[in-house]
């Protein structure tokens, strides 16, 4: 199998998964954005980002953000720092 076939198959799978999540109401459109309405388990933040964006791949650590604009990577680092401070206390 060549790279183009593999990429096309992966894109089709993500597109199907994405459509199903919208149909189930897990994702809802709000203008040019999508909002997650319920918990949904993905294998990684990047897999979730790729599904939401309709791409084969996406860096979820930089694409996911809170309402305040904090990326997942920043949130994770802050959480890790807070845990380290608690351990030192």
């Amino acid at each position: 199998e060549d790279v183009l076939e593999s990429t096309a198959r992966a894109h089709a799978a993500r597109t199907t998964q994405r459509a199903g999540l919208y149909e189930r109401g897990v994702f809802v459109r709000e203008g040019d954005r999508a909002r997650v309405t319920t918990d949904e388990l993905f294998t990684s933040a990047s897999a979730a980002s790729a599904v939401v964006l309709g791409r084969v791949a996406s860096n979820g650590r930089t694409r996911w953000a809170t309402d305040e604009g904090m990326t997942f990577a920043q949130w994770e680092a802050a959480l890790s720092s807070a845990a380290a401070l608690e351990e030192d206390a």
Side-chain angles (χ1 to χ4, degrees):
E1 174 178 51
D2 70 5
V3 173
L4 282 177
E5 289 174 1
S6 176
T7 301
R9 225 183 35 237
H11 185 265
R14 295 273 194 227
T15 300
T16 299
Q17 186 179 10
R18 181 177 190 238
L21 292 169
Y22 276 106
E23 287 173 14
R24 291 183 17 229
V26 174
F27 298 153
V28 294
R29 295 184 198 284
E30 292 185 348
D32 64 343
R33 294 179 176 229
R35 182 172 53 87
V36 179
T37 62
T38 62
D39 291 342
E40 185 72 23
L41 185 60
F42 290 89
T43 56
S44 68
S46 293
S49 178
V51 169
V52 170
L53 296 173
R55 298 181 179 169
V56 173
S58 177
N59 185 342
R61 293 180 43 76
T62 59
R63 292 302 237 161
W64 284 111
T66 65
D67 289 338
E68 295 77 28
M70 179 184 284
T71 67
F72 179 74
Q74 292 167 329
W75 174 82
E76 192 174 43
L79 188 65
S80 183
S81 293
L85 288 174
E86 284 184 15
E87 288 177 10
D88 290 342

